[in-house]
Amino acid sequence: MYLCTIEIRKMDILTQDIMYLTGVGPNRKKLLSNELGIETFGDLLEYYPYKYVDRSKVYRVDELTGEMPFVQVVGRILSFETFDMGPMRERVVAHFSDGTGIMDLVWFNGGKYAKQNYKIGQDYLVFGRPSVFNNRIQVQHPELEAIDHSSLNFEHSAAQTSADANNGQWSMINVQCKMRPYYNTTEKMKKFNLTSRAMERLARNLIERLKEPMAETIPDFITARLHLMNRDQALRTIHFPQSAKELERARVRLKFEELFFVQLNILRYASDQRRKYRGYVFNRIGPVFNTFYYDHLPFNLTGAQKRVMHEIRHDVGSGRQMNRLLQGDVGSGKTLVALMAMLIALDNGFQACMMAPTEILAEQHLTTIRELLQGMEVRVELLTGIVKGKKRQEILDGLLDGSVQILVGTHAIIEDTVQFRQLGMVIVDEQHRFGVAQRAKLWSKSRPSAGGGTIPHVLVMTATPIPRTLAMTLYGDLDVSIIDELPPGRKPIQTTHVFESRMTSLYDGIRRQINQGRQVYFVFPLIEESEKIDLKNLEQGFETLCQVFPEFRLSKVHGRMKPRDKEEEMQRFVRGETQILVATTVIEVGVNVPNASVMVIMDAQRFGLSQLHQLRGRVGRGADQSFCILVTSYKLSEITRKRIDIMCQTNDGFRIAEADLKLRGPGDLEGTQQSGMAFDLKIADIARDGQLVQMARDEAQRIVDEDATCSSAKYEILWNRLAQLHKTNINWAAIS
Ligand code: ADP
Ligand code: MG
């Protein structure tokens, strides 16, 4: 009973309106809410510092050099000086000394404020990055804090003693809290003086106000086993750590908690699904599959393809619904695996469908499948947005009576009007956006009487290799198969980096390739300027190339063309009528022209790693040596240089994906954006905290296995927390 009331009070205080915190009035409340989304005490508590600066060291002016990171100096302003910098602008310089030397504090903006607020003769702690200008040390836009003896954070005690030995400098001060937290703030907040410093004060006010320990969200026996700091301590420490070691423990605890509930959510969802739905049992490998495998398959399966077929056959025979993610680099032969999975469904009296992200790809799949099945009596049809009228009706009828056995199409397949007699296998190709919700929609595709708690098997294919830790989070409810072996005979694509200025020699090489009968892609980036997408690059590039190669024919495609025109241009290239295809990234996924052996990517610095890798995958599909050429300007950022280096070093999609995740962080990663699921992680970083992701996963799995119905009192606190998170965090809706 007693515990209960404390619980409620604690909840209450964290849901308090931020306005009632000391130091926050209506104006700051508005700023905090608009700029950072902080509405309550709890929100502020979870607004963690982004860095900490070790305040134990205070430098002397005569020690400073231009190569130091942020430093602290204690001293006094001797005088101010103002310089005119044109109309309405001035530069304010404060000459500052600690007795060992003089340095300048410089303001290009806000100098007026500095002159008014900082007093000559007062002791200040100055914080900033020193640089050298005209042989003098200066700190631009420093942070100043007046030092007085009553200050909470500072004590100016023994300082003078050591200073005396050094001719009366004030170089040593005792600092109670060694690690100073820094909070991200916005320009607007700074304008109203709601700086990192001010945020620090608010955080301190808040933490002092939280007298009761904050509620745990993870049972003690788990935190104890995993040696995790308790939640109350972690939340206090994250704002005001006493040491780096303590800070690290607090971070681990909070990161773990975040990742753990994500995993718990995913795994509980997956286990719910498993209990709710059965899968059709396909225990027959019959004439359709066998005829194809023994009489039609034009080559031997690779080892990896065989292994994946094994995994799929095991799934579909188990009585459990298959939910499998098939990852494999471009050209690794996923389509063939998908086709064989569909044929197994046919052998067991079911229909199958395959969904592609674009019409071009759907048609390409249709062609491939029809070719592979030539001479067999399997009815394969295409359904996209452009299939209309009588043809469409025919297909819809065929689906209902079961005569259409394989349907290939786009999103048009999940429209309500599309009903199957008995859909047993769904293949989803190259679609990161195809989330749990859409998959669920497919389950209602069979006639009502057909299933009844039994749903089709699903195979999701992707050529964007996803690092394991990310896959666990993005596709946590799917089992994963990997094709990590290319069909034999492929020559690895050679990738080179070329500067714009060397294009002429590049053109010669391209001319030779085309004269040998090869085809070439030129990809240009889209320029996005304030929501407007500009095709300038592409258009100019196309004209230049027409002039450079008057003897060849060129196609041009981009996303703004009418689907029909785009299709026609693509087809001209596919049929070999044009030798050069100039395009934006519309050719990124799936397009298959084995005769194309050169991929030139212009302004390669504008593309992300995984995008470059996807684009490169358009070549290297035939027996010829293929080339990828990354063209950039001279000036490259550090990150771009690394990206280009990785591309030139390896063709391994997984290595590239790992590197991408490390370079960019998961928030930016295409996989996450495309999934439509924003990661709302406040402190954990999927790229860097791989071990914690794994730990969280293992722990969550253990709990879901033990308490599948979420009813054990032992874990009640976890399920309650999960329910609470569902209420407060809308992004979770995307996961389940
Ligand atoms: P993905 O969809 O994984 O990018 P595809 O299924 O389109 O790759 O296969 C790429 C090419 O490789 C196709 O032309 C396909 O016919 C061929 N292929 C697939 N599997 C094999 C294999 N085991 N041996 C030889 N060629 C193969
Ligand atoms: Mg494919």
Side-chain angles (χ1 to χ4, degrees):
M1 206 47 228
Y2 171 69
L3 261 174
C4 251
T5 35
I6 290 187
E7 200 69 18
I8 287 164
R9 272 229 311 280
K10 267 182 285 185
M11 292 291 302
D12 274 350
I13 190 154
L14 289 184
T15 55
Q16 279 264 353
D17 192 323
I18 194 70
M19 192 162 87
Y20 302 113
L21 183 67
T22 318
V24 182
N27 289 338
R28 281 193 161 179
K29 172 197 155 86
K30 219 188 209 158
L31 270 176
L32 286 169
S33 152
N34 291 348
E35 299 295 299
L36 304 178
I38 295 177
E39 313 270 356
T40 64
F41 283 17
D43 293 342
L44 180 62
L45 192 64
E46 291 186 9
Y47 193 69
Y48 306 134
Y50 70 96
K51 69 167 183 187
Y52 304 80
V53 172
D54 186 348
R55 311 183 351 170
S56 55
K57 172 89 181 151
V58 175
Y59 285 84
R60 297 192 316 256
V61 171
D62 68 355
E63 289 179 304
L64 300 182
T65 70
E67 280 86 50
M68 290 176 158
F70 287 89
V71 297
Q72 299 184 115
V73 180
V74 172
R76 290 175 190 163
I77 294 174
L78 306 174
S79 62
F80 281 103
E81 217 175 330
T82 303
F83 300 89
D84 251 352
M85 289 173 54
M88 310 292 290
R89 278 172 59 79
E90 56 181 29
R91 174 166 52 108
V92 170
V93 176
H95 303 295
F96 183 91
S97 173
D98 67 348
T100 70
I102 297 179
M103 67 175 187
D104 292 342
L105 310 179
V106 182
W107 289 270
F108 294 96
N109 307 304
K112 209 182 209 161
Y113 173 88
K115 264 192 298 188
Q116 278 164 10
N117 281 270
Y118 302 132
K119 296 184 194 75
I120 291 173
Q122 154 86 44
D123 284 358
Y124 285 105
L125 177 79
V126 169
F127 177 77
R129 192 197 290 275
S131 56
V132 177
F133 182 72
N134 279 348
N135 278 328
R136 258 168 104 98
I137 293 285
Q138 67 169 31
V139 176
Q140 296 180 7
H141 296 124
E143 278 179 37
L144 270 75
E145 183 161 340
I147 297 179
D148 62 64
H149 296 259
S150 63
S151 154
L152 227 173
N153 309 327
F154 290 93
E155 232 166 65
H156 209 169
S157 61
Q160 275 75 7
T161 47
S162 69
D164 297 337
N166 275 322
N167 318 323
Q169 313 149 14
W170 313 285
S171 61
M172 281 298 172
I173 53 167
N174 251 353
V175 179
Q176 277 180 351
C177 169
K178 285 191 172 166
M179 311 279 289
R180 162 158 267 183
Y182 281 78
Y183 296 85
N184 275 315
T185 56
T186 64
E187 283 310 308
K188 193 150 177 206
M189 288 169 68
K190 284 188 194 113
K191 228 164 93 190
F192 291 93
N193 233 350
L194 196 48
T195 57
S196 168
R197 198 59 46 244
M199 291 295 287
E200 181 189 341
R201 276 191 290 273
L202 295 185
R204 191 173 291 284
N205 292 346
L206 174 64
I207 285 189
E208 279 169 4
R209 176 110 167 235
L210 299 172
K211 296 267 182 319
E212 308 280 354
M214 280 161 274
E216 248 311 341
T217 49
I218 300 176
D220 293 344
F221 60 90
I222 295 180
T223 49
R225 178 157 44 76
L226 300 177
H227 307 288
L228 294 170
M229 197 182 244
N230 76 47
R231 186 157 188 271
D232 181 69
Q233 200 189 346
L235 284 169
R236 291 173 198 270
T237 304
I238 198 79
H239 291 279
F240 301 106
Q242 293 298 325
S243 68
K245 208 169 144 209
E246 203 192 47
L247 170 62
E248 190 48 30
R249 289 201 64 214
R251 294 179 100 142
V252 165
R253 151 73 208 216
L254 296 173
K255 285 177 178 185
F256 175 83
E257 174 173 343
E258 216 169 41
L259 296 167
F260 173 67
F261 280 103
V262 169
Q263 290 301 327
L264 195 62
N265 190 50
I266 295 168
L267 293 175
R268 194 202 49 180
Y269 173 83
S271 117
D272 269 4
Q273 293 298 307
R274 234 164 266 154
R275 275 185 304 120
K276 237 185 272 166
Y277 300 108
R278 282 164 293 128
Y280 298 113
V281 179
F282 297 167
N283 48 18
R284 227 166 87 93
I285 298 298
V288 183
F289 183 92
N290 285 329
T291 308
F292 174 74
Y293 191 78
Y294 293 108
D295 303 342
H296 288 253
L297 191 60
F299 30 64
N300 293 322
L301 294 183
T302 63
Q305 284 171 321
K306 282 188 191 148
R307 192 186 62 235
V308 173
M309 279 314 296
H310 244 86
E311 290 166 345
I312 292 173
R313 281 180 57 178
H314 176 265
D315 282 0
V316 299
S318 70
R320 241 185 69 180
Q321 185 226 9
M322 174 173 78
N323 254 309
R324 194 165 275 283
L325 174 69
L326 176 55
Q327 292 195 50
D329 238 325
V330 273
S332 60
K334 295 184 294 295
T335 315
L336 194 66
V337 167
L339 175 62
M340 290 192 290
M342 294 197 285
L343 298 184
I344 295 176
L346 266 51
D347 267 333
N348 288 271
F350 287 84
Q351 294 158 291
C353 72
M354 181 189 261
M355 261 178 58
T358 66
E359 278 167 9
I360 294 179
L361 282 175
E363 286 178 29
Q364 221 166 60
H365 280 318
L366 179 83
T367 313
T368 308
I369 291 174
R370 280 192 171 153
E371 256 165 36
L372 284 165
L373 297 182
Q374 205 161 40
M376 291 176 63
E377 298 216 335
V378 177
R379 185 171 168 203
V380 187
E381 294 287 358
L382 178 77
L383 191 74
T384 65
I386 49 177
V387 178
K388 295 220 166 77
K390 192 157 151 258
K391 180 70 193 165
R392 187 180 187 88
Q393 196 51 52
E394 249 175 59
I395 293 172
L396 291 180
D397 292 345
L399 288 171
L400 260 186
D401 67 25
S403 61
V404 174
Q405 293 159 287
I406 294 179
L407 182 69
V408 180
T410 53
H411 264 85
I413 292 183
I414 52 174
E415 281 166 23
D416 291 336
T417 50
V418 182
Q419 287 289 321
F420 292 75
R421 193 175 76 90
Q422 196 154 41
L423 179 62
M425 173 70 67
V426 176
I427 313 286
V428 181
D429 188 24
E430 307 281 10
Q431 280 193 284
H432 311 94
R433 256 190 235 107
F434 205 75
V436 181
Q438 280 108 328
R439 266 184 270 143
K441 203 160 174 197
L442 280 165
W443 301 339
S444 59
K445 289 278 119 186
S446 286
R447 279 177 319 159
S449 61
T454 312
I455 52 180
H457 299 292
V458 178
L459 184 67
V460 179
M461 305 196 289
T462 177
T464 309
I466 301 163
R468 254 175 58 76
T469 53
L470 187 60
M472 261 183 218
T473 312
L474 269 180
Y475 299 111
D477 63 323
L478 303 185
D479 296 315
V480 178
S481 290
I482 294 174
I483 304 189
D484 49 7
E485 180 185 352
L486 290 179
R490 299 275 173 80
K491 296 195 180 77
I493 303 163
Q494 281 178 21
T495 304
T496 38
H497 174 209
V498 170
F499 287 115
E500 270 164 5
S501 49
R502 302 292 311 276
M503 285 298 282
T504 333
S505 53
L506 177 63
Y507 292 145
D508 293 340
I510 287 172
R511 187 167 281 118
R512 275 195 300 277
Q513 284 285 315
I514 299 179
N515 284 331
Q516 285 167 25
R518 305 283 93 78
Q519 288 166 285
V520 177
Y521 294 104
F522 269 87
V523 176
F524 288 85
L526 287 168
I527 313 289
E528 232 167 310
E529 277 169 330
S530 59
E531 288 166 35
K532 207 180 89 206
I533 291 189
D534 195 354
L535 289 168
K536 195 174 71 199
N537 271 16
L538 179 81
E539 302 289 356
Q540 279 173 359
F542 182 74
E543 289 200 353
T544 309
L545 290 172
C546 285
Q547 282 161 18
V548 173
F549 299 112
E551 72 271 42
F552 301 135
R553 281 180 304 267
L554 286 78
S555 289
K556 177 173 72 177
V557 293
H558 56 78
R560 294 279 198 71
M561 291 163 79
K562 289 207 189 81
R564 183 164 301 231
D565 297 345
K566 189 164 79 187
E567 177 62 24
E568 180 49 34
E569 279 299 298
M570 282 298 307
Q571 285 305 337
R572 275 171 15 107
F573 186 69
V574 172
R575 289 193 298 260
E577 291 165 23
T578 57
Q579 290 80 40
I580 298 177
L581 178 69
V582 181
T584 57
T585 51
V586 288
I587 58 156
E588 194 176 328
V589 267
V591 171
N592 189 14
V593 183
N595 192 46
S597 65
V598 183
M599 165 64 66
V600 184
I601 304 176
M602 303 298 295
D603 284 328
Q605 72 271 10
R606 288 181 182 268
F607 295 91
L609 255 184
S610 69
Q611 218 179 3
L612 290 173
H613 181 62
Q614 288 290 308
L615 286 167
R616 176 168 64 182
R618 298 303 107 216
V619 296
R621 310 197 129 219
D624 307 298
Q625 176 62 55
S626 289
F627 304 91
C628 173
I629 291 128
L630 306 173
V631 181
T632 70
S633 55
Y634 256 116
K635 270 200 166 165
L636 293 182
S637 71
E638 176 85 12
I639 284 202
T640 307
R641 202 178 298 277
K642 280 192 184 148
R643 274 193 205 139
I644 305 260
D645 281 352
I646 291 162
M647 286 297 293
C648 294
Q649 276 164 22
T650 183
N651 281 304
D652 179 339
F654 281 93
R655 265 188 66 193
I656 290 170
E658 291 281 356
D660 200 20
L661 191 56
K662 290 226 169 74
L663 284 178
R664 298 205 296 168
D668 273 345
L669 202 74
E670 271 148 65
T672 57
Q673 282 165 2
Q674 288 169 4
S675 77
M677 187 185 90
F679 278 103
D680 199 13
L681 296 178
K682 292 197 173 82
I683 184 166
D685 174 340
I686 293 184
R688 298 204 175 82
D689 300 324
Q691 268 185 322
L692 281 175
V693 175
Q694 185 67 56
M695 193 166 130
R697 172 78 165 193
D698 293 346
E699 198 55 39
Q701 186 70 61
R702 194 199 317 266
I703 289 161
V704 169
D705 288 346
E706 191 184 322
D707 185 17
T709 53
C710 309
S711 53
S712 161
K714 195 172 152 193
Y715 296 121
E716 194 182 353
I717 161 177
L718 290 177
W719 306 126
N720 287 346
R721 176 68 178 170
L722 203 54
Q724 192 192 347
L725 288 170
H726 269 277
K727 261 186 250 147
T728 54
N729 189 342
I730 43 164
N731 284 327
W732 286 53
I735 309 182
S736 61

